[in-house]
Amino acid sequence: MTDKTDISTANTMRERSGESRIKLWLLLRANRFLVSIVLTSAVFVAFVIAVAVLDPPFSQQIESGDMTDTMFSTMITVIVTGTTLVVTIGQLVLSQENGPLGDQRERMASSMDVRDFTEELIGSPSPADPSEFLRQIIGITAQRTTALRESIDKNDNENLREEVDEFAESVTGNADTVRDQLEDAQFGSFNVLFAALNFNYSWKIFQVERLANEYEESLNEEERGLLDDLKTALSLFGPAREHIKTLYFQWALIDLSQMILYAAVPALAVAGIMVGIVDAGTFPGSTLGLDHIILVVGGAFAVTLVPFMLFVSYVLRIVTIAKRTLAIEPLILRESQR
């Protein structure tokens, strides 16, 4: 009999990836605004500590030159250029949705063909809600897996029965986990896509193909048909997930563009104030041994970095998702699953 690790797989993406919970939480689950605030705060703390302990003293550098003017003049240029670039990229991605009437009609026809196929598969109208759409596909997958196990239980090949039983337990367990995560999940948040990433459909397709090939002589016509039916259900989940992923990417890029535009205005105002008003004598005194001017410059620098940190937080999530979903077919790209 094939080793257990060759048949079943972990029910969550974290377990399959072999990476720490904290790392995946920061890259994927954590609120993007919270991540950007954490990154900005880290820069502020690092800046204050560095200028407070390094020589020459920060106050002397401000008095002896135009460091503040140069620093924040540069940030004004960076904010304007970076904001324009990010918004342009977002608009470029969204422009792919635009097109003449014929193209839009073709897109609609293709989408309706998939919905009709899904309706035939699940035996009811395709849900309009993305999370429920995925839940229904996973649900019919679990049902067909159970039907396969019940049929194979009557097979004379003991190894086949054991492998199918183990495989079915893995599939139904994974399906139950993901369906629970999808329940009441609202599109626009990351919850829908994160739950979909936890359903390892490509590995399951490979196992169906392997079972059909290795036990070809032991399978009767009904059992082969059940394997084909299960493969069909699993194969539909792939493009469905990719479609949801594409919609999420577009949604996230719109959110990113809006947030960067909102953050750019106060960042520009702070940078302009620092250039036009602040000098070594503007904020005299100290608190807890730290000169007020250090805290002010550090805080202003952190504020001007907020648009960039928003960009970093969103892109970290997008590229992490993209890397984990490069292959839509049963190809194993991560060493942890080999």
Side-chain angles (χ1 to χ4, degrees), residues 29-252:
R29 295 304 301 276
N31 182 280
R32 295 299 93 185
F33 183 73
L34 174 62
V35 173
S36 65
I37 292 299
V38 170
L39 292 174
T40 303
S41 300
V43 171
F44 169 74
V45 171
F47 179 89
V48 170
I49 293 176
V51 300
V53 301
L54 296 178
D55 290 326
F58 188 69
S59 57
Q60 293 182 11
Q61 296 184 57
I62 293 181
E63 292 174 353
S64 62
D66 59 353
M67 184 196 67
T68 304
D69 289 351
T70 302
M71 179 179 177
F72 286 97
S73 295
T74 303
M75 291 306 298
I76 290 175
T77 303
V78 170
I79 294 169
V80 173
T81 304
T83 301
T84 303
L85 179 61
V86 170
V87 174
T88 301
I89 292 174
Q91 294 302 314
L92 180 62
V93 173
L94 294 178
S95 68
Q96 299 176 9
E97 300 300 307
N98 301 325
L101 180 60
D103 292 345
Q104 299 299 334
R105 184 176 182 276
E106 184 177 347
R107 287 182 59 204
M108 185 65 174
S110 298
S111 297
M112 294 308 297
D113 286 344
V114 174
R115 291 186 64 82
D116 290 342
F117 179 76
T118 305
E119 181 175 346
E120 295 178 6
L121 184 75
I122 65 179
S124 62
S126 300
D129 181 71
S131 60
E132 186 61 26
F133 182 71
L134 294 175
R135 286 186 84 245
Q136 291 292 334
I137 296 175
I138 295 174
I140 196 64
T141 300
Q143 292 177 20
R144 293 187 174 186
T145 302
T146 301
L148 173 66
R149 174 162 55 181
E150 292 174 351
S151 178
I152 295 295
D153 279 343
K154 305 172 186 176
N155 195 286
D156 295 333
N157 191 314
E158 182 180 356
N159 286 341
L160 174 60
R161 293 198 307 269
E162 291 179 357
E163 289 200 27
V164 169
D165 186 68
E166 186 176 332
F167 172 67
E169 183 178 352
S170 175
V171 173
T172 55
N174 195 187
D176 289 342
T177 298
V178 176
R179 280 171 57 84
D180 289 343
Q181 292 174 348
L182 285 170
E183 189 172 7
D184 298 327
Q186 296 295 318
F187 184 81
S189 69
F190 182 60
N191 293 336
V192 175
L193 184 55
F194 182 79
L197 291 173
N198 279 333
F199 192 67
N200 193 16
Y201 74 94
S202 59
W203 178 254
K204 296 172 175 56
I205 292 176
F206 165 72
Q207 289 298 334
V208 170
E209 294 174 339
R210 184 188 63 81
L211 289 169
N213 179 70
E214 288 190 10
Y215 297 99
E216 182 178 5
E217 296 181 357
S218 300
L219 295 168
N220 58 39
E221 185 175 349
E222 177 188 358
E223 293 163 346
R224 293 191 191 95
L226 290 172
L227 282 169
D228 288 340
D229 290 344
L230 177 55
K231 183 178 178 180
T232 299
L234 289 168
S235 298
L236 178 61
F237 184 83
R241 190 190 72 177
E242 291 303 301
H243 180 58
I244 299 301
K245 182 184 77 172
T246 299
L247 292 176
Y248 174 78
F249 281 177
Q250 294 171 342
W251 187 289

Side-chain angles (χ1 to χ4, degrees), residues 241-314:
R241 190 190 72 177
E242 291 303 301
H243 180 58
I244 299 301
K245 182 184 77 172
T246 299
L247 292 176
Y248 174 78
F249 281 177
Q250 294 171 342
W251 187 289
L253 285 171
I254 293 172
D255 283 347
L256 174 61
S257 298
Q258 289 178 324
M259 294 182 72
I260 285 181
L261 288 173
Y262 296 152
V265 174
L268 284 172
V270 169
I273 291 172
M274 295 300 294
V275 171
I277 300 176
V278 176
D279 58 23
T282 306
F283 296 97
S286 63
T287 299
L288 299 177
L290 293 173
D291 293 340
H292 289 164
I293 189 62
I294 294 178
L295 298 175
V296 170
V297 173
F301 180 58
V303 170
T304 60
L305 285 177
V306 169
F308 175 71
M309 293 306 180
L310 285 169
F311 174 77
V312 169
S313 65
Y314 271 84

